[in-house]
């Protein structure tokens, strides 16, 4: 089978791997709960604060990314496939609005030329992406919230993307913003040799909430969720010639353009879901029926072909509680009692990678390891997960930056909630958590050791 030999092949080769037969290995099975063995010299568990009613766990004080102690690095697996997972990167609209022949715009209040980047941001992004690009992995998984995405509004009144007086103008402004920020995001990653595999987050459809009486912009983004999804798919999930990057996707339903499955390597299948469905006049955090049916088919095929590791990525956590920072704490409706979770358990999913909460928590439920992770770059807390996979072993390592921010000025964005004007990352990242798992004889997953922030919560 022809696997992706280089970054230059980008997503087109990833598409090709779906057309080839899948190699055999131990068949995943999750009929019983994953055993958890004693940690081999691991540090004491980080005990999260009591869960709130919404199932989230605020991380504050001594339990914060800036203060968590470093732990020893994870072992390096010979001949392993390596990948990076960084949900919520960037969770902000970052682009040079003054580049090329673009017209410049001035803030009507301050008189400053408006821009969505500056020297500090470019240097900080270089520090983070240069390190990620040096880790021997080219595939970058991003489980949602690439953008700030509050498009179709203009809180400053500057008119950068045109007028927003009615829905027709709001949609035109949204298209202009998408045409500016999505390519800037993709081009930035390509410059560091990184190939993105993105999932749809709530910020890609305007950010929650989607209902508020009397708010015309919120009414707009709820009505135009399909248009937001099409823009995401058109800019990120298609080739320059318009062909789809991924052939394995739902053929109908609301996620037909935004969900996909791809064989990253002979050892790893990645399934990306879209957990947002417009229904009953609102946006619900649940997959639609067509997507769920498609997922079942993907997992049946993976089981038949004995794929060593099956990973699903989606923006919202399913199992709780999880730590959170500066997050609205969206979570999947129905939690581990949902049809989606039951489908993943019965279908042999090993790992569920999720974001939204801008912090890290590992939960083991029904034989599935949920890794809620990621962070907010613009708050000085950038972090990413390095994964290694062989037919029998899976190793994860969380790397945490400790940056500085200055809110005395702001980047310009379409909403008044702009990012801080300055963010810096003067030091390399440190390892704050590791997890090592093996395939069991019956096809399950055994978490053999863990440390720091990746130690599973009980």
């Amino acid at each position: 089978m022809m696997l992706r030999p280089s970054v230059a092949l980008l997503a087109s080769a990833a598409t090709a791997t779906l057309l080839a037969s899948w190699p055999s290995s131990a068949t995943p099975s999750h009929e019983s709960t994953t055993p958890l063995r004693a940690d081999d010299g691991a540090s004491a568990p980080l005990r999260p604060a009591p869960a709130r009613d919404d199932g989230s766990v605020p991380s504050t004080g001594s339990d914060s990314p800036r203060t968590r102690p470093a732990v020893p690095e994870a072992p390096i697996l010979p001949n392993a496939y390596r990948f990076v997972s960084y949900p919520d990167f960037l969770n902000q609209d970052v682009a040079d609005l003054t580049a090329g022949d673009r017209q410049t715009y001035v803030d009507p209040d301050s008189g400053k030329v408006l821009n969505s980047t500056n020297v500090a941001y470019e240097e900080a992004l270089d520090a983070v992406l240069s390190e990620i690009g040096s880790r021997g992995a080219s595939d970058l998984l991003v489980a949602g919230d690439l953008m700030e995405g509050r498009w179709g509004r203009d809180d400053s009144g500057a008119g950068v993307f045109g007028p927003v007086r009615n829905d027709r103008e709001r949609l035109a402004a949204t298209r202009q913003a998408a045409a500016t920020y999505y390519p800037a995001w993709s081009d930035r990653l390509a410059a560091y040799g990184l190939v993105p595999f993105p999932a749809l987050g709530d910020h890609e459809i305007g950010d929650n909430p989607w209902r508020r009486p009397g708010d015309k912009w919120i009414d707009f983004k709820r009505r135009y969720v399909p248009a937001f999804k099409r823009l995401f798919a058109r800019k990120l999930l298609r080739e320059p010639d318009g062909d789809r990057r991924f052939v394995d996707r739902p053929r109908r339903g609301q996620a037909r353009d935004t969900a996909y499955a791809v064989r990253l390597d002979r050892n790893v299948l990645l399934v990306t879901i879209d957990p947002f469905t417009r229904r009953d006049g609102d946006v619900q955090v649940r997959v639609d029926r067509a997507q769920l049916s498609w997922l079942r088919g993907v997992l049946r095929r993976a089981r038949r072909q004995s794929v060593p590791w099956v990973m699903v990525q989606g923006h919202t956590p399913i199992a709780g509680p999880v730590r959170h920072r500066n997050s609205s704490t969206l979570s999947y409706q129905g939690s581990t009692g949902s049809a989606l979770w039951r489908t993943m358990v019965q279908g042999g999913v090993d790992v569920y990678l999720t974001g939204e909460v801008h912090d890290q928590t590992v939960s083991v439920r029904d034989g599935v390891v949920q890794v809620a992770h990621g962070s907010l770059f613009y708050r000085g807390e950038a972090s990413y997960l390095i994964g290694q996979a062989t037919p029998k072993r899976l190793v994860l390592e969380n790397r945490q930056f400790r940056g500085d921010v200055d809110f005395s000025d702001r980047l310009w964005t379409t909403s008044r909630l702009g990012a801080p004007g300055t963010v810096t990352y003067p030091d390399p990242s440190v390892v704050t958590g590791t997890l090592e798992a093996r395939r069991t004889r019956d096809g399950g997953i055994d978490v053999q050791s863990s440390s720091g922030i990746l130690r599973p919560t009980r």
Side-chain angles (χ1 to χ4, degrees):
M1 179 178 69
M2 193 68 173
L3 296 173
R4 300 181 311 140
S6 69
V7 174
L9 292 180
L10 299 177
S12 59
T15 301
T17 62
L18 285 171
L19 304 178
S21 60
W22 292 354
S24 298
S25 183
T27 302
S29 173
H30 298 305
E31 300 304 323
S32 60
T33 302
T34 300
L36 293 176
R37 295 181 180 174
D39 294 85
D40 301 330
S43 61
L46 293 170
R47 299 185 183 276
R52 304 191 325 182
D53 290 341
D54 62 6
S56 60
V57 180
S59 50
T60 58
S62 60
D63 183 27
S64 70
R66 286 190 176 90
T67 58
R68 288 172 187 150
V71 300
E73 295 184 354
I76 296 177
L77 302 184
N79 303 314
Y81 164 70
R82 297 173 68 88
F83 64 92
V84 174
S85 183
Y86 188 166
D88 302 282
F89 179 82
L90 283 166
N91 211 159
Q92 192 57 234
D93 299 338
V94 180
D96 185 358
L97 302 182
T98 67
D101 298 326
R102 288 178 181 160
Q103 177 182 347
T104 58
Y105 291 85
V106 175
D107 188 303
D109 295 323
S110 68
K112 293 182 179 180
V113 173
L114 299 177
N115 206 352
S116 294
T117 190
N118 57 32
V119 172
Y121 266 76
E122 294 305 317
E123 290 179 348
L125 282 164
D126 178 67
V128 171
L129 291 175
S130 292
E131 180 179 304
I132 292 175
S134 71
R135 296 297 177 187
S138 60
D139 292 342
L140 176 65
L141 284 52
V142 185
D145 282 4
L146 291 59
M147 304 288 133
E148 182 187 56
R150 298 184 181 104
W151 302 333
R153 62 191 293 174
D154 182 10
D155 290 2
S156 70
V160 173
F161 297 119
V164 291
R165 295 165 298 194
N166 53 54
D167 279 2
R168 180 180 60 81
E169 291 180 348
R170 292 183 187 101
L171 181 58
T174 295
R175 289 169 174 160
Q176 288 294 322
T180 300
Y181 291 117
Y182 279 135
W185 187 87
S186 298
D187 292 346
R188 189 182 301 278
L189 296 179
Y192 292 87
L194 299 170
V195 182
F197 293 83
L200 187 91
D202 58 290
H203 280 259
E204 279 68 67
I205 52 174
D207 187 20
N208 73 99
W210 292 278
R211 285 195 70 85
R212 182 178 296 158
D215 191 313
K216 294 182 178 179
W217 176 70
I218 288 182
D219 287 344
F220 157 75
K221 65 178 181 177
R222 182 183 68 254
R223 285 195 294 268
Y224 284 88
V225 162
F228 276 89
K229 288 190 177 188
R230 284 193 297 271
L231 288 169
F232 169 83
R234 188 179 303 151
K235 300 298 182 182
L236 298 177
L237 302 183
R238 288 184 181 269
E239 303 287 2
D241 62 5
D243 287 346
R244 297 178 186 273
R245 287 181 61 189
F246 309 108
V247 298
D248 195 345
R249 55 186 173 80
R251 298 302 175 184
R252 55 188 178 84
Q254 297 186 33
R256 61 187 178 277
D257 294 323
T258 49
Y260 59 90
V262 60
R263 193 70 176 270
L264 296 175
D265 175 82
R266 59 171 49 89
N267 294 321
V268 178
L269 172 70
L270 174 69
V271 185
T272 298
I273 62 170
D274 172 357
F276 299 100
T277 300
R278 194 178 63 166
R279 183 176 180 181
D280 298 331
D282 201 355
V283 176
Q284 300 184 0
V285 186
R286 57 188 293 183
V287 299
D288 62 351
R289 291 182 180 179
Q291 185 178 182
L292 190 63
S293 177
W294 164 79
L295 175 61
R296 291 186 180 116
V298 170
L299 297 180
R300 283 195 297 268
R301 181 153 61 107
R303 187 183 291 275
R304 286 197 303 268
Q305 299 295 333
S306 301
V307 178
W309 299 102
V310 178
M311 301 192 307
V312 174
Q313 70 167 347
H315 184 58
T316 59
I318 302 176
V322 295
R323 299 176 181 88
H324 70 85
R325 290 177 66 77
N326 304 299
S327 170
S328 60
T329 65
L330 284 174
S331 59
Y332 193 83
Q333 292 175 223
S335 186
T336 54
S338 64
L340 172 61
W341 186 262
R342 294 197 302 271
T343 295
M344 293 201 301
V345 172
Q346 295 165 4
V349 171
D350 300 297
V351 178
Y352 177 59
L353 300 170
T354 185
E356 166 63 22
V357 291
H358 315 142
D359 207 335
Q360 299 87 48
T361 307
V362 173
S363 310
V364 181
R365 304 284 189 277
D366 307 318
V368 178
V369 178
Q370 174 184 280
V371 185
H373 59 303
S375 57
L376 290 178
F377 168 89
Y378 68 87
R379 285 189 174 270
E381 297 178 351
S383 70
Y384 61 96
L385 199 72
I386 287 284
Q388 303 175 69
T390 69
K392 299 292 186 181
R393 298 182 67 189
L394 179 70
V395 170
L396 304 177
E397 177 182 272
N398 191 76
R399 302 198 68 99
Q400 179 71 54
F401 288 94
R402 294 164 179 170
D404 299 304
V405 298
D406 183 354
F407 273 94
S408 60
D409 195 10
R410 298 270 185 153
L411 285 188
W412 181 86
T413 61
T414 56
S415 80
R416 61 180 174 81
L417 302 175
T422 302
V423 57
T424 58
Y425 285 99
D427 302 311
S429 68
V430 298
V431 177
T432 57
T434 62
L435 184 148
E436 300 178 49
R438 285 184 181 271
R439 175 69 62 218
T440 62
R441 288 188 176 182
D442 65 357
I445 180 172
D446 179 3
V447 178
Q448 293 196 308
S449 67
S450 58
S451 67
I453 200 65
L454 295 189
R455 187 166 183 173
T457 59
R458 301 300 200 274

